[in-house]
Amino acid sequence: MTLAPLLTVPLAAFLSAGLIVLLKPLLQRYALARPNARSSHQVPTPQGGGIAIIAAALITAVVLAVPTGIALGGVELPVLALSVIALAVVGAIDDIRPLPASLRLVIQAGAVAAVVLTVEGRLLPDMPLWLERAFAILAGLWFVNLVNFMDGLDWMTLAEFVPPTAFLFALGLAGRYAPEPTLVTGALLGGLLGFAPFNRPVARLFMGDVGSLPIGLIVAWLLFRLAGQGGLEGGLAAALILPLYPIADATLTLLWRLRRGEAVWQAHRSHYYQVATVNGFSVRETVGSVFALQVALAALAGVTLLWPSRAVTLVCLVLAAGLVGWLLRRFVTPRAASA
């Protein structure tokens, strides 16, 4: 193995932190998030730190693509990069001056469709390709938005996605994940780590839509590539387990809001992790619990890949669902009642 893959994470982390230092005065001036009834913060805080995460990840991937043995003649990585940039631009504009929800959704759908239609691999080979791709576009669009919805607490996006990206990067270094997604996941992991010191509670900088939207697209692509490695036992189960907490929190919250007849496109503070802070959990306790759960889910995903059998896969899926359900229930239980 060359040293190039090992440089991915530290290079992206260094670039991300450096860009934040350079950009923070501009973000302080032009992208200030002021508290409102739906906010988790109490004082005006600059947002838009996701610019540094995405820029660092893209620069790192471009610089290290050839040294890591990745050919640049295909369309998959360029389309992914352009789609990521498109979502970052939309997010940056929305952070400064909110855009209509319909316009955001159309652009997001176009970006997701472009990635899905050029990605390598199949999720369900027995399903007609057009139906699989249509399902993947809908799932990807929901995933991009749920990552955005779940970015409502200091360190929350880091707690959700540092463990799975670290797992996928280690998987790639071990030769169990293709070089292209290995490079991308290492670059994203480094970008997140470089952002972490600025977002620790109480945060001095927020990620903003400019970060959460493209991160959702990148992670969706990474999971698609993992799932396409060969059936339920070959990667699909692992791809379902790794993001199970944010998927469950966001999806169940959406369903409950639909049932109550709420306007689901409007901002709110009804997610399980947000309710946890109302029920007596500190921000650090909440994100620490999510981080620990995500580490456990990464371990279960690893088990499905190390021992690829139907029985092991089903056991891991049940355990993963049980752990996620336990934490969600814990979050909605007031501390006094659970003591």
Side-chain angles (χ1 to χ4, degrees):
M1 177 189 298
T2 65
L3 290 177
L6 300 177
L7 295 175
T8 308
V9 175
L11 176 58
F14 174 79
L15 288 173
S16 178
L19 287 170
I20 287 172
V21 172
L22 291 174
L23 293 172
K24 193 175 178 184
L26 290 175
L27 299 176
Q28 182 78 37
R29 182 174 181 180
Y30 296 108
L32 203 62
R34 301 188 181 278
N36 56 46
R38 296 180 293 271
S39 301
S40 296
H41 61 291
Q42 303 298 321
V43 298
T45 305
Q47 60 184 345
I51 295 173
I53 299 172
I54 300 306
L58 289 173
I59 293 170
T60 299
V62 170
V63 169
L64 294 182
V66 173
T68 53
I70 295 174
L72 298 178
V75 298
E76 184 176 9
L77 289 182
V79 168
L80 174 65
L82 290 174
S83 299
V84 164
I85 292 170
L87 290 189
V89 170
V90 170
I93 296 172
D94 199 49
D95 285 335
I96 298 172
R97 181 173 297 178
L99 296 170
S102 57
L103 177 61
R104 295 200 309 266
L105 191 63
V106 168
I107 297 173
Q108 291 166 7
V112 171
V115 171
V116 169
L117 295 176
T118 56
V119 70
E120 293 183 7
R122 294 288 307 272
L123 294 176
L124 301 167
D126 295 332
M127 180 183 291
L129 180 61
W130 69 268
L131 184 58
E132 178 195 277
R133 294 310 199 212
F135 169 77
I137 290 171
L138 290 175
L141 183 59
W142 171 232
F143 194 82
V144 166
N145 280 280
L146 76 84
V147 172
N148 178 236
F149 298 155
M150 294 294 290
D151 183 39
L153 207 62
D154 302 342
W155 266 354
M156 179 54 69
T157 299
L158 299 169
E160 291 167 342
F161 294 115
V162 166
T165 52
F167 168 79
L168 292 174
F169 187 62
L171 195 68
L173 294 180
R176 300 288 299 273
Y177 198 35
E180 294 85 356
T182 299
L183 173 64
V184 173
T185 195
L188 177 58
L189 173 60
L192 290 170
L193 293 177
F195 171 73
F198 304 92
N199 189 240
R200 71 177 185 271
V202 174
R204 293 172 290 158
L205 179 66
F206 295 151
M207 182 180 298
D209 289 3
V210 66
S212 60
L213 293 175
I215 286 173
L217 182 60
I218 294 171
V219 175
W221 178 78
L222 293 171
L223 294 172
F224 190 107
R225 289 297 302 265
L226 178 64
Q229 292 189 172
L232 183 64
E233 294 85 19
L236 180 56
L240 291 172
I241 290 172
L242 285 171
L244 192 56
Y245 172 76
I247 289 176
D249 190 322
T251 303
L252 290 174
T253 299
L254 175 69
L255 293 176
W256 277 113
R257 296 189 72 211
L258 284 171
R259 183 177 179 182
R260 292 194 294 264
E262 298 180 17
V264 296
W265 56 88
Q266 294 180 351
H268 62 93
R269 296 195 68 240
S270 305
H271 286 288
Y272 287 80
Y273 72 91
Q274 293 170 320
V275 172
T277 61
V278 176
N279 285 338
F281 290 82
S282 69
V283 171
R284 289 180 181 268
E285 286 176 316
T286 303
V287 297
S289 298
V290 172
F291 183 86
L293 173 61
Q294 291 296 91
V295 170
L297 294 180
L300 289 173
V303 170
T304 66
L305 296 174
L306 287 173
W307 292 281
S309 73
R310 185 63 58 91
V312 169
T313 296
L314 291 177
V315 168
C316 288
L317 286 169
V318 170
L319 286 174
L323 287 172
V324 171
W326 170 80
L327 184 59
L328 293 177
R329 183 175 180 83
R330 186 166 179 256
F331 279 169
V332 297
T333 303
R335 297 301 288 269
S338 62

